Amino acid sequence: MTFREIKPGIYWIGSIDWDRRLFDSLIPLPQGTSYNAYLVKGSEKTALIDTVDPTKEYELVQNLVRIGVDGIDYIIVNHAEQDHSGALPMILELFPGARVVTNEKCRDLLVALLDIDGDRVDVIEDNDTLSLGDKTLQFLITPWVHWPETMLTYVQESKVLFSCDLFGSHIATSDLFVSDERIVYSPSKRYYAEIMMPFRSSIKGHMEKLDKLPIGIVAPSHGPLYATPDPIFSAYRDWISDDVKNEVVIPYVSMHGSTEKMVNLLTEALIAKGVGVAPYNLTVTDTGELAMALVDAATVVIATPTVLFGPHPQAVCATYLVNLLRPKMRFASVIGSYGWGGKTVETLKGMLSSVKPELLEPVYIRGAPGAETVREIERLAEDIAKKHREIGILD
Ligand code: FEO
């Protein structure tokens, strides 16, 4: 994909990865992704903003050649993760006079991860500026969007915000700018759920700072750009708020059908009470879909049989993910079936230590569900509905 001009003197020079289907050996990418690098040409100096994944460094160089760049003075590194910094060693070789500009934590990570010569790095502080002549770069240190060293770069005169991972989306598209917000909302929410959700409170603080800047274009490092910040800022405000929705997420796994029957009973009972519910069969679920559902849900019910002495490994994995992603959920419970014993409920309860939800009385039975189980599931559905009423999300 060739370079494209965003504003006079500001170019997209990244790479679109149409085929990539997994990120960090963890995150499914059903729609591919892009690695957005940018070139900012001032009247006196030229800056490269981030690079690309090392698998795509040829495309970055090709774009630099096509654009006719005859020198790079600064390489701004907003984030040390290799999908943005991986081509940095090669760019430093090609442009031996270029200086890397980043914060201290990022410099240390670049040295550790990529063996970059620390002497080629100029360290900046929050709100420092760098003049390119008729364009001024302003650096905003914004830890934990996605790693502790992350920062954003703002071009004051052009009002362009290079937000790196923040406000990104994993989607490969030929659209330079978001052409239809409805198409990008879902990939953006998936991206937020998988990457940003654990840092909800940090993002709140960063967005307060961003609200003070007259931002025009938002140019993230993945997915299309936003011509105005309103759509993505307003979506983020919703996702990072403390407001939960009248929804129950049920990640479940069943071996011989008893747990699945209980999931079906709970699903029907919740629907009858006006509570939204989304069961996710963990044997076929895309973890990104599950993560997205966790963004808004008030309640999570883990459903699992006991395997030998504890929860099914699929349920352990899902519960670990819930705890890792730290959604704003308020309530949790466990349902399922065992044969002879075990510590399934205790094990799962102990795995939610970062989220600290209010735990509702589980329904954990021996063998197949009978009439008593139906009554207990109904009781759990009513407990959930009552809690949702108490916090004002169910009439
Ligand atoms: Fe797109 Fe955290 O790297």
Side-chain angles (χ1 to χ4, degrees), residues 23 79 81 83-84 146-147 165 170 191 195 221-222:
F23 189 81
H79 180 20
E81 191 166 11
D83 53 323
H84 310 294
H146 165 215
W147 285 3
D165 277 351
H170 281 312
Y191 184 92
I195 313 267
S221 290
H222 298 287

Side-chain angles (χ1 to χ4, degrees), residues 270-322:
L270 288 168
I271 291 171
K273 291 175 191 304
V275 179
V277 55
Y280 287 89
N281 180 343
L282 294 170
T283 63
V284 293
T285 292
D286 169 329
T287 50
E289 296 284 333
L290 176 59
M292 276 172 78
L294 294 171
V295 170
D296 303 310
T299 301
V300 174
V301 177
I302 309 287
T304 176
T306 289
V307 179
L308 298 178
F309 312 108
H312 191 289
Q314 294 266 20
V316 171
C317 187
T319 310
Y320 182 81
L321 189 72
V322 171

Side-chain angles (χ1 to χ4, degrees), residues 240-283:
I240 65 175
S241 78
D242 294 331
D243 300 338
V244 288
K245 295 195 169 63
N246 176 31
E247 291 165 10
V248 177
V249 173
I250 312 178
Y252 78 91
V253 58
S254 188
M255 294 193 300
H256 298 290
S258 295
T259 299
E260 187 170 22
K261 279 181 192 153
M262 295 172 74
V263 169
N264 292 339
L265 286 168
L266 182 60
T267 300
E268 286 177 17
L270 288 168
I271 291 171
K273 291 175 191 304
V275 179
V277 55
Y280 287 89
N281 180 343
L282 294 170
T283 63

Side-chain angles (χ1 to χ4, degrees), residues 57-195:
E57 62 186 17
Y58 171 80
E59 289 185 32
L60 176 63
V61 174
Q62 193 176 46
N63 276 332
L64 287 168
V65 170
R66 281 173 173 164
I67 213 166
V69 79
D70 49 13
I72 290 177
D73 299 289
Y74 305 112
I75 306 162
I76 315 300
V77 179
N78 284 323
H79 180 20
E81 191 166 11
Q82 291 90 332
D83 53 323
H84 310 294
S85 68
L88 182 60
M90 189 260 316
I91 293 289
L92 284 172
E93 253 188 84
L94 280 177
F95 298 94
R99 302 288 301 168
V100 175
V101 178
T102 191
N103 61 77
E104 189 175 0
K105 275 187 187 156
C106 191
R107 178 198 59 190
D108 294 348
L109 276 167
L110 292 175
V111 171
L113 296 174
L114 299 167
D115 200 22
I116 297 298
D117 176 1
D119 290 341
R120 289 192 66 177
V121 181
D122 294 333
V123 170
I124 52 84
E125 306 281 343
D126 189 32
N127 274 319
D128 276 359
T129 57
L130 178 66
S131 175
L132 305 179
D134 60 352
K135 293 183 180 65
T136 311
L137 305 182
Q138 179 181 347
F139 306 110
L140 309 166
I141 309 272
T142 50
W144 297 112
V145 289
H146 165 215
W147 285 3
E149 88 300 0
T150 42
M151 66 181 213
L152 320 181
T153 299
Y154 176 66
V155 188
Q156 291 177 338
E157 294 79 2
S158 315
K159 299 181 173 49
V160 177
L161 178 72
F162 298 106
S163 61
C164 203
D165 277 351
L166 185 61
F167 309 126
S169 56
H170 281 312
I171 179 170
T173 169
S174 56
D175 289 343
L176 179 59
F177 285 91
V178 170
S179 58
D180 184 339
E181 288 154 24
R182 291 165 300 178
I183 294 170
V184 177
Y185 181 86
S186 182
S188 300
K189 187 173 185 180
R190 173 187 271 264
Y191 184 92
Y192 167 83
E194 294 164 331
I195 313 267

